[in-house]
Amino acid sequence: MRGIGLLLRRPGCPSLASVSSLSSRRLWFSSTRSTLCPHQTQVTQQQQGEGVLKGSKKRQAEDKWKLPDSPCRTRFAPSPTGYLHLGSLRTALFNYLLAKATGGQFILRIEDTDQTRLVHDAEQRLFDDLRWAGLSWDEGPDVQGPYGPYRQSERLSLYDEHANQLIREGKAYRCFCSPEDLERHKQAAHESGESTAYPGTCRNVSLEESDDRAAKGEKYAVRFKSSDKPIIIEDILYTRYRKREPEEDFIIRKRDGFPTYHFANIVDDRAMKITHVIRGAEWLISTPKHVELYNAFGWEPPKFAHVGLLVDKERQKLSKRHKGVDMSWYKDNQIPPEALLNFAVLLGWSQKSGEPDFMTLQDMVDRFSFKFSKGDIVVSFDKLPYLHEKHFEHLLRQEPPNLPRLQSYLINPIRDMITAVEDARAETPKGALEETTVHNIPLPSLASPVPQTQESPASAQDYILRALRTAKSIKPDLELFLSQNRYAFWTIPPSVLSKNFDETPSLQHAKLDGEEASPSVVMRFIVEQLSDIVSSKGEEGSPEEKKAEVEEWMAERIKLVVDATVKAVSVSDPETGEPIKGAGGYKFLRWALLAGDHGPGLVSVMELLGRKETMKRLITSYKVALEKEKAENGESGSGTMDAVATGLGLALFDLF
C-alpha cells in the first residue's frame, strides 16, 4: 500500500470521500490494498520515478522496520469511557515495547475530555488491568513525572493558551453557531445533495467582533482554519497518505470549554516530548488534522505507525459480544498475562523468520521492530491454548520459582480441586459414592490423599509444585490434569488395583530371570530390590540417618536400581505367547504405582511420592497379587499389611 496518497489522486480509483462510514472506509483501505486499481502498475512506476523505492525492496523493508538508535518516548492514551480490551492492550503493548527496546520511556495519559461519556470506575480498571497484564509506565497519573499532570481534564489552561495563540495568529477562529443551527444546515445540505461540511459561517468574523462577543458571554467553539488543499502525511507502514478532499474547519475547543481529542492530543504529545505514536489504522484518516495542527504551531510531528484493525472472521470490528475482547475473559479463564501479551503481540506484528512464537515480555522487547502488517488483522484464538500451555511450562521451569504466579494459576487451583473432591467424599453417602464424579474423577477410584497434600500449607504447596514439574506436560485444563494424574495426589484403593490387574493379563504371563514367575513372586522381587536403596530406621532413626534416607531417595539412585530390576522381568502376550517388547518390570511398576495409568516416567513418580509412599504401594500390590493367587488355589487371605511386610522380612513398620 506504498504511495496510497498517490493512488487516491488517480482518476478511476474509488474515493475515500465517497465512503461514508468508518467501517466502510476501513474495508475500502483493505480492499484497495489487495486489489488496488487499474493504475497499480502505473503508480508503482511513478513511485520509482520519484525515488520512493530506492535500492532493493528487501533492504528498503529492513530499513523501514529498523528501530531508531535514540531513545523513544511513547504513550498509551486511553479514554476512561470504557474498559481495556484486546485492541487497546495491543496498542499499549506495541508502544511499551518500542520505548523499552530503545531505552526510552513509556507514558500513560488519561484522555478524559469527553466528560459526558466517562465511566466512573474505568480509570482505576485501566490501571489495574494494565498492571495485571504486566505493563508498567514511567510517567502517568499515579506515578507523576516531569511533564504532568497526566489527565487532560487537569490541563485545560494549557489547551486554552494554545487555542488562543492560534486565534491571535489567524489560524483559528471562534464559531458562535449553535448546535441547532449546525444541525439545520446539515439536514438541508443532505436533502439537496450538497456537502454537509461546516460552511464557514464564522470564518470571516473579525477578531475584534469575536473578542467582543466572547467577552459578553456568548457561547462559542473554536475552529481550526484548515488548508484548502489536502496534505500528505508520513507513516512508517503506509509511507505516505493523503485524503482526496481537504479537511473542513474542524473544532479544536468545544462550547463547554474542553478541547477536542484532536487538539488535546497534539498539544500533549508535543508537551510530553512524544517521539513515536503507534495506534490503530482507524486513526489514519484523522492524522492529517493532527499534522495540520503541528504545522500551524511550527512543530515537528512525531513518527506515526498505524497498525491493522482487529476484526473477526467475518471481517467485522471486534466488539464486546466477542469472547476474548474484555480482560475479564482472560482472568476468568485463568490465562496468565504473559500468555495474553504473547498472543496480543502476534496480532499484526512479525518477528524474524525462524523465531518461535513463544515469547516472554523480555523476548518481545529484544526482538521488537516496526515489522507490522498492513490491513485488517483477523483474530483467531486457535493459537491461544498453545501459548497458554507454553507459558505454563515456562512458569514451571523458572528458577527461582515465581511463587505468586505459580500459586495463582497452578498450585492454588489444584489445591482447591483436591479440597473439593475430599469435601464431596465426606458429604456423599456411601451408597451414592459409586455414582459420584467430581472434577472428572470417580470418587470410588480414590483412597486417601497422599500425606504431603494434607500436611502444612507449605508442604502441600511444595508437593503440588513438584507434581506439576514431574508431569509430562501441563495443559491449560487443570481439571483434566488432575484427573489424569490423580494417583500423584491420592493413594490407590486395593479394589482398583485388583480390577486393573484383571484388565492387564500380561502381568500373569511373566518371567523372572528367564524363568516363569507368578505376579506375587515378581512383586516380591521388586519390593526387595527397591528396599535395598535405603533401609528405613523408622521413628528410631537419628535426624542424621533420616536426612540420609531422604538424600538417598533421589532420581539418580532410584534409576540405577530400577533399571537393573525391570530388566530381570519380562512379560508375554497371553494370546500369542510372544514376548512384549521392553522391560516387563515397568508394567508391574506402573500397575503398582499408578494402577496402570499413563503418565510421567516411573522413576520421577517414585521420587515424587517419596520412599514411604512408594514402598507402601509396592507392598499393597504384592498383597493384592498374593491374595488373587491364594484365592485361585482355594487358600485363605494373606493377612494384614504388617504381616505381609513381616513375611517379606522387611523392617517396614514405619510405613503403616
Side-chain angles (χ1 to χ4, degrees), residues 420-446:
V421 170
E422 286 305 295
D423 288 346
R425 276 156 52 90
E427 295 167 3
T428 304
K430 287 187 178 180
L433 276 175
E434 290 293 328
E435 307 298 326
T436 305
T437 297
V438 180
H439 290 306
N440 288 328
I441 302 174
L443 294 187
S445 70
L446 306 177

PDB file of all heavy atoms in Angstrom, residues 420-446:
ATOM      1  N   ALA A 420     -12.097 -29.813  47.118  1.00  0.00           N
ATOM      2  CA  ALA A 420     -13.477 -30.040  46.670  1.00  0.00           C
ATOM      3  C   ALA A 420     -13.782 -31.531  46.566  1.00  0.00           C
ATOM      4  O   ALA A 420     -14.880 -31.980  46.931  1.00  0.00           O
ATOM      5  CB  ALA A 420     -13.707 -29.353  45.325  1.00  0.00           C
ATOM      6  N   VAL A 421     -12.830 -32.308  46.072  1.00  0.00           N
ATOM      7  CA  VAL A 421     -13.025 -33.760  45.972  1.00  0.00           C
ATOM      8  C   VAL A 421     -13.174 -34.361  47.361  1.00  0.00           C
ATOM      9  O   VAL A 421     -14.067 -35.189  47.611  1.00  0.00           O
ATOM     10  CB  VAL A 421     -11.853 -34.412  45.216  1.00  0.00           C
ATOM     11  CG1 VAL A 421     -11.924 -35.932  45.327  1.00  0.00           C
ATOM     12  CG2 VAL A 421     -11.864 -33.994  43.751  1.00  0.00           C
ATOM     13  N   GLU A 422     -12.315 -33.962  48.290  1.00  0.00           N
ATOM     14  CA  GLU A 422     -12.380 -34.507  49.650  1.00  0.00           C
ATOM     15  C   GLU A 422     -13.671 -34.097  50.352  1.00  0.00           C
ATOM     16  O   GLU A 422     -14.265 -34.891  51.088  1.00  0.00           O
ATOM     17  CB  GLU A 422     -11.157 -34.055  50.447  1.00  0.00           C
ATOM     18  CG  GLU A 422      -9.878 -34.781  50.057  1.00  0.00           C
ATOM     19  CD  GLU A 422     -10.045 -36.292  50.166  1.00  0.00           C
ATOM     20  OE1 GLU A 422     -10.237 -36.807  51.290  1.00  0.00           O
ATOM     21  OE2 GLU A 422     -10.022 -36.962  49.114  1.00  0.00           O
ATOM     22  N   ASP A 423     -14.110 -32.868  50.128  1.00  0.00           N
ATOM     23  CA  ASP A 423     -15.377 -32.434  50.719  1.00  0.00           C
ATOM     24  C   ASP A 423     -16.529 -33.268  50.181  1.00  0.00           C
ATOM     25  O   ASP A 423     -17.442 -33.664  50.937  1.00  0.00           O
ATOM     26  CB  ASP A 423     -15.622 -30.954  50.414  1.00  0.00           C
ATOM     27  CG  ASP A 423     -14.696 -30.036  51.193  1.00  0.00           C
ATOM     28  OD1 ASP A 423     -14.050 -30.509  52.158  1.00  0.00           O
ATOM     29  OD2 ASP A 423     -14.606 -28.840  50.829  1.00  0.00           O
ATOM     30  N   ALA A 424     -16.500 -33.549  48.880  1.00  0.00           N
ATOM     31  CA  ALA A 424     -17.563 -34.359  48.275  1.00  0.00           C
ATOM     32  C   ALA A 424     -17.538 -35.782  48.821  1.00  0.00           C
ATOM     33  O   ALA A 424     -18.598 -36.378  49.077  1.00  0.00           O
ATOM     34  CB  ALA A 424     -17.406 -34.369  46.755  1.00  0.00           C
ATOM     35  N   ARG A 425     -16.351 -36.321  49.018  1.00  0.00           N
ATOM     36  CA  ARG A 425     -16.234 -37.685  49.574  1.00  0.00           C
ATOM     37  C   ARG A 425     -16.813 -37.744  50.987  1.00  0.00           C
ATOM     38  O   ARG A 425     -17.465 -38.711  51.373  1.00  0.00           O
ATOM     39  CB  ARG A 425     -14.769 -38.124  49.598  1.00  0.00           C
ATOM     40  CG  ARG A 425     -14.290 -38.696  48.275  1.00  0.00           C
ATOM     41  CD  ARG A 425     -12.787 -38.571  48.109  1.00  0.00           C
ATOM     42  NE  ARG A 425     -12.004 -39.088  49.212  1.00  0.00           N
ATOM     43  CZ  ARG A 425     -11.558 -40.351  49.316  1.00  0.00           C
ATOM     44  NH1 ARG A 425     -11.858 -41.212  48.369  1.00  0.00           N
ATOM     45  NH2 ARG A 425     -10.824 -40.724  50.325  1.00  0.00           N
ATOM     46  N   ALA A 426     -16.567 -36.673  51.748  1.00  0.00           N
ATOM     47  CA  ALA A 426     -17.048 -36.650  53.125  1.00  0.00           C
ATOM     48  C   ALA A 426     -18.560 -36.463  53.196  1.00  0.00           C
ATOM     49  O   ALA A 426     -19.224 -36.979  54.110  1.00  0.00           O
ATOM     50  CB  ALA A 426     -16.343 -35.534  53.896  1.00  0.00           C
ATOM     51  N   GLU A 427     -19.106 -35.741  52.233  1.00  0.00           N
ATOM     52  CA  GLU A 427     -20.525 -35.391  52.276  1.00  0.00           C
ATOM     53  C   GLU A 427     -21.420 -36.377  51.527  1.00  0.00           C
ATOM     54  O   GLU A 427     -22.645 -36.363  51.706  1.00  0.00           O
ATOM     55  CB  GLU A 427     -20.720 -33.986  51.687  1.00  0.00           C
ATOM     56  CG  GLU A 427     -20.046 -32.889  52.506  1.00  0.00           C
ATOM     57  CD  GLU A 427     -19.978 -31.569  51.767  1.00  0.00           C
ATOM     58  OE1 GLU A 427     -20.524 -31.499  50.630  1.00  0.00           O
ATOM     59  OE2 GLU A 427     -19.377 -30.620  52.286  1.00  0.00           O
ATOM     60  N   THR A 428     -20.836 -37.222  50.683  1.00  0.00           N
ATOM     61  CA  THR A 428     -21.638 -38.139  49.864  1.00  0.00           C
ATOM     62  C   THR A 428     -21.915 -39.424  50.643  1.00  0.00           C
ATOM     63  O   THR A 428     -20.980 -40.063  51.147  1.00  0.00           O
ATOM     64  CB  THR A 428     -20.903 -38.484  48.554  1.00  0.00           C
ATOM     65  OG1 THR A 428     -20.597 -37.275  47.857  1.00  0.00           O
ATOM     66  CG2 THR A 428     -21.768 -39.369  47.667  1.00  0.00           C
ATOM     67  N   PRO A 429     -23.170 -39.835  50.759  1.00  0.00           N
ATOM     68  CA  PRO A 429     -23.487 -41.107  51.433  1.00  0.00           C
ATOM     69  C   PRO A 429     -22.773 -42.269  50.749  1.00  0.00           C
ATOM     70  O   PRO A 429     -22.582 -42.261  49.526  1.00  0.00           O
ATOM     71  CB  PRO A 429     -25.010 -41.217  51.272  1.00  0.00           C
ATOM     72  CG  PRO A 429     -25.471 -39.817  51.017  1.00  0.00           C
ATOM     73  CD  PRO A 429     -24.361 -39.131  50.276  1.00  0.00           C
ATOM     74  N   LYS A 430     -22.387 -43.254  51.532  1.00  0.00           N
ATOM     75  CA  LYS A 430     -21.621 -44.387  50.981  1.00  0.00           C
ATOM     76  C   LYS A 430     -22.344 -45.052  49.817  1.00  0.00           C
ATOM     77  O   LYS A 430     -21.730 -45.472  48.841  1.00  0.00           O
ATOM     78  CB  LYS A 430     -21.337 -45.401  52.085  1.00  0.00           C
ATOM     79  CG  LYS A 430     -20.274 -44.936  53.072  1.00  0.00           C
ATOM     80  CD  LYS A 430     -19.912 -46.037  54.048  1.00  0.00           C
ATOM     81  CE  LYS A 430     -18.813 -45.571  54.996  1.00  0.00           C
ATOM     82  NZ  LYS A 430     -18.434 -46.643  55.960  1.00  0.00           N
ATOM     83  N   GLY A 431     -23.642 -45.135  49.917  1.00  0.00           N
ATOM     84  CA  GLY A 431     -24.392 -45.793  48.856  1.00  0.00           C
ATOM     85  C   GLY A 431     -24.379 -45.041  47.538  1.00  0.00           C
ATOM     86  O   GLY A 431     -24.629 -45.625  46.480  1.00  0.00           O
ATOM     87  N   ALA A 432     -24.056 -43.740  47.606  1.00  0.00           N
ATOM     88  CA  ALA A 432     -24.080 -42.928  46.385  1.00  0.00           C
ATOM     89  C   ALA A 432     -22.692 -42.697  45.813  1.00  0.00           C
ATOM     90  O   ALA A 432     -22.553 -42.097  44.741  1.00  0.00           O
ATOM     91  CB  ALA A 432     -24.741 -41.582  46.672  1.00  0.00           C
ATOM     92  N   LEU A 433     -21.648 -43.161  46.505  1.00  0.00           N
ATOM     93  CA  LEU A 433     -20.273 -42.910  46.048  1.00  0.00           C
ATOM     94  C   LEU A 433     -20.010 -43.487  44.668  1.00  0.00           C
ATOM     95  O   LEU A 433     -19.299 -42.890  43.856  1.00  0.00           O
ATOM     96  CB  LEU A 433     -19.265 -43.492  47.048  1.00  0.00           C
ATOM     97  CG  LEU A 433     -18.913 -42.630  48.261  1.00  0.00           C
ATOM     98  CD1 LEU A 433     -18.004 -43.399  49.204  1.00  0.00           C
ATOM     99  CD2 LEU A 433     -18.240 -41.339  47.819  1.00  0.00           C
ATOM    100  N   GLU A 434     -20.560 -44.651  44.408  1.00  0.00           N
ATOM    101  CA  GLU A 434     -20.291 -45.328  43.135  1.00  0.00           C
ATOM    102  C   GLU A 434     -20.712 -44.488  41.937  1.00  0.00           C
ATOM    103  O   GLU A 434     -20.136 -44.589  40.862  1.00  0.00           O
ATOM    104  CB  GLU A 434     -21.023 -46.677  43.087  1.00  0.00           C
ATOM    105  CG  GLU A 434     -20.464 -47.730  44.026  1.00  0.00           C
ATOM    106  CD  GLU A 434     -19.068 -48.179  43.627  1.00  0.00           C
ATOM    107  OE1 GLU A 434     -18.765 -48.189  42.411  1.00  0.00           O
ATOM    108  OE2 GLU A 434     -18.273 -48.506  44.524  1.00  0.00           O
ATOM    109  N   GLU A 435     -21.701 -43.640  42.128  1.00  0.00           N
ATOM    110  CA  GLU A 435     -22.235 -42.851  41.019  1.00  0.00           C
ATOM    111  C   GLU A 435     -21.718 -41.417  41.008  1.00  0.00           C
ATOM    112  O   GLU A 435     -22.138 -40.620  40.167  1.00  0.00           O
ATOM    113  CB  GLU A 435     -23.771 -42.815  41.105  1.00  0.00           C
ATOM    114  CG  GLU A 435     -24.427 -44.182  41.195  1.00  0.00           C
ATOM    115  CD  GLU A 435     -24.150 -45.025  39.968  1.00  0.00           C
ATOM    116  OE1 GLU A 435     -24.055 -44.445  38.861  1.00  0.00           O
ATOM    117  OE2 GLU A 435     -24.022 -46.255  40.107  1.00  0.00           O
ATOM    118  N   THR A 436     -20.815 -41.069  41.911  1.00  0.00           N
ATOM    119  CA  THR A 436     -20.406 -39.673  42.069  1.00  0.00           C
ATOM    120  C   THR A 436     -19.053 -39.408  41.423  1.00  0.00           C
ATOM    121  O   THR A 436     -18.083 -40.135  41.648  1.00  0.00           O
ATOM    122  CB  THR A 436     -20.337 -39.295  43.561  1.00  0.00           C
ATOM    123  OG1 THR A 436     -21.596 -39.578  44.167  1.00  0.00           O
ATOM    124  CG2 THR A 436     -20.014 -37.810  43.725  1.00  0.00           C
ATOM    125  N   THR A 437     -19.015 -38.358  40.608  1.00  0.00           N
ATOM    126  CA  THR A 437     -17.784 -37.909  39.959  1.00  0.00           C
ATOM    127  C   THR A 437     -17.587 -36.430  40.270  1.00  0.00           C
ATOM    128  O   THR A 437     -18.513 -35.639  40.136  1.00  0.00           O
ATOM    129  CB  THR A 437     -17.857 -38.116  38.435  1.00  0.00           C
ATOM    130  OG1 THR A 437     -17.972 -39.511  38.160  1.00  0.00           O
ATOM    131  CG2 THR A 437     -16.601 -37.585  37.744  1.00  0.00           C
ATOM    132  N   VAL A 438     -16.392 -36.068  40.688  1.00  0.00           N
ATOM    133  CA  VAL A 438     -16.061 -34.675  40.984  1.00  0.00           C
ATOM    134  C   VAL A 438     -14.793 -34.315  40.217  1.00  0.00           C
ATOM    135  O   VAL A 438     -13.792 -35.032  40.296  1.00  0.00           O
ATOM    136  CB  VAL A 438     -15.854 -34.448  42.494  1.00  0.00           C
ATOM    137  CG1 VAL A 438     -15.501 -32.984  42.774  1.00  0.00           C
ATOM    138  CG2 VAL A 438     -17.102 -34.852  43.272  1.00  0.00           C
ATOM    139  N   HIS A 439     -14.845 -33.212  39.480  1.00  0.00           N
ATOM    140  CA  HIS A 439     -13.708 -32.789  38.651  1.00  0.00           C
ATOM    141  C   HIS A 439     -13.228 -33.935  37.744  1.00  0.00           C
ATOM    142  O   HIS A 439     -12.023 -34.182  37.608  1.00  0.00           O
ATOM    143  CB  HIS A 439     -12.559 -32.275  39.517  1.00  0.00           C
ATOM    144  CG  HIS A 439     -12.843 -30.965  40.186  1.00  0.00           C
ATOM    145  ND1 HIS A 439     -13.250 -29.852  39.494  1.00  0.00           N
ATOM    146  CD2 HIS A 439     -12.811 -30.609  41.500  1.00  0.00           C
ATOM    147  CE1 HIS A 439     -13.436 -28.855  40.346  1.00  0.00           C
ATOM    148  NE2 HIS A 439     -13.189 -29.283  41.557  1.00  0.00           N
ATOM    149  N   ASN A 440     -14.198 -34.634  37.162  1.00  0.00           N
ATOM    150  CA  ASN A 440     -13.932 -35.742  36.228  1.00  0.00           C
ATOM    151  C   ASN A 440     -13.265 -36.937  36.898  1.00  0.00           C
ATOM    152  O   ASN A 440     -12.700 -37.801  36.206  1.00  0.00           O
ATOM    153  CB  ASN A 440     -13.067 -35.276  35.039  1.00  0.00           C
ATOM    154  CG  ASN A 440     -13.837 -34.384  34.089  1.00  0.00           C
ATOM    155  OD1 ASN A 440     -15.033 -34.537  33.916  1.00  0.00           O
ATOM    156  ND2 ASN A 440     -13.142 -33.435  33.470  1.00  0.00           N
ATOM    157  N   ILE A 441     -13.303 -37.016  38.209  1.00  0.00           N
ATOM    158  CA  ILE A 441     -12.694 -38.138  38.922  1.00  0.00           C
ATOM    159  C   ILE A 441     -13.795 -38.928  39.625  1.00  0.00           C
ATOM    160  O   ILE A 441     -14.477 -38.396  40.511  1.00  0.00           O
ATOM    161  CB  ILE A 441     -11.666 -37.652  39.967  1.00  0.00           C
ATOM    162  CG1 ILE A 441     -10.573 -36.817  39.301  1.00  0.00           C
ATOM    163  CG2 ILE A 441     -11.058 -38.825  40.714  1.00  0.00           C
ATOM    164  CD1 ILE A 441      -9.598 -36.187  40.282  1.00  0.00           C
ATOM    165  N   PRO A 442     -13.988 -40.203  39.272  1.00  0.00           N
ATOM    166  CA  PRO A 442     -14.961 -41.035  40.006  1.00  0.00           C
ATOM    167  C   PRO A 442     -14.466 -41.231  41.442  1.00  0.00           C
ATOM    168  O   PRO A 442     -13.331 -41.676  41.666  1.00  0.00           O
ATOM    169  CB  PRO A 442     -14.961 -42.359  39.231  1.00  0.00           C
ATOM    170  CG  PRO A 442     -14.352 -42.029  37.897  1.00  0.00           C
ATOM    171  CD  PRO A 442     -13.384 -40.917  38.144  1.00  0.00           C
ATOM    172  N   LEU A 443     -15.284 -40.905  42.399  1.00  0.00           N
ATOM    173  CA  LEU A 443     -14.851 -40.975  43.797  1.00  0.00           C
ATOM    174  C   LEU A 443     -14.433 -42.386  44.229  1.00  0.00           C
ATOM    175  O   LEU A 443     -13.493 -42.524  45.029  1.00  0.00           O
ATOM    176  CB  LEU A 443     -15.950 -40.437  44.711  1.00  0.00           C
ATOM    177  CG  LEU A 443     -16.265 -38.932  44.556  1.00  0.00           C
ATOM    178  CD1 LEU A 443     -17.249 -38.486  45.624  1.00  0.00           C
ATOM    179  CD2 LEU A 443     -14.989 -38.098  44.627  1.00  0.00           C
ATOM    180  N   PRO A 444     -15.076 -43.469  43.738  1.00  0.00           N
ATOM    181  CA  PRO A 444     -14.637 -44.807  44.164  1.00  0.00           C
ATOM    182  C   PRO A 444     -13.209 -45.152  43.714  1.00  0.00           C
ATOM    183  O   PRO A 444     -12.621 -46.108  44.226  1.00  0.00           O
ATOM    184  CB  PRO A 444     -15.647 -45.745  43.504  1.00  0.00           C
ATOM    185  CG  PRO A 444     -16.817 -44.892  43.190  1.00  0.00           C
ATOM    186  CD  PRO A 444     -16.284 -43.545  42.895  1.00  0.00           C
ATOM    187  N   SER A 445     -12.663 -44.394  42.762  1.00  0.00           N
ATOM    188  CA  SER A 445     -11.313 -44.709  42.275  1.00  0.00           C
ATOM    189  C   SER A 445     -10.225 -44.168  43.188  1.00  0.00           C
ATOM    190  O   SER A 445      -9.045 -44.362  42.921  1.00  0.00           O
ATOM    191  CB  SER A 445     -11.119 -44.139  40.867  1.00  0.00           C
ATOM    192  OG  SER A 445     -11.061 -42.714  40.906  1.00  0.00           O
ATOM    193  N   LEU A 446     -10.616 -43.502  44.271  1.00  0.00           N
ATOM    194  CA  LEU A 446      -9.642 -42.862  45.152  1.00  0.00           C
ATOM    195  C   LEU A 446      -9.677 -43.464  46.545  1.00  0.00           C
ATOM    196  O   LEU A 446     -10.731 -43.810  47.076  1.00  0.00           O
ATOM    197  CB  LEU A 446      -9.946 -41.363  45.266  1.00  0.00           C
ATOM    198  CG  LEU A 446     -10.066 -40.558  43.970  1.00  0.00           C
ATOM    199  CD1 LEU A 446     -10.444 -39.120  44.293  1.00  0.00           C
ATOM    200  CD2 LEU A 446      -8.762 -40.610  43.175  1.00  0.00           C
TER     201      LEU A 446
END
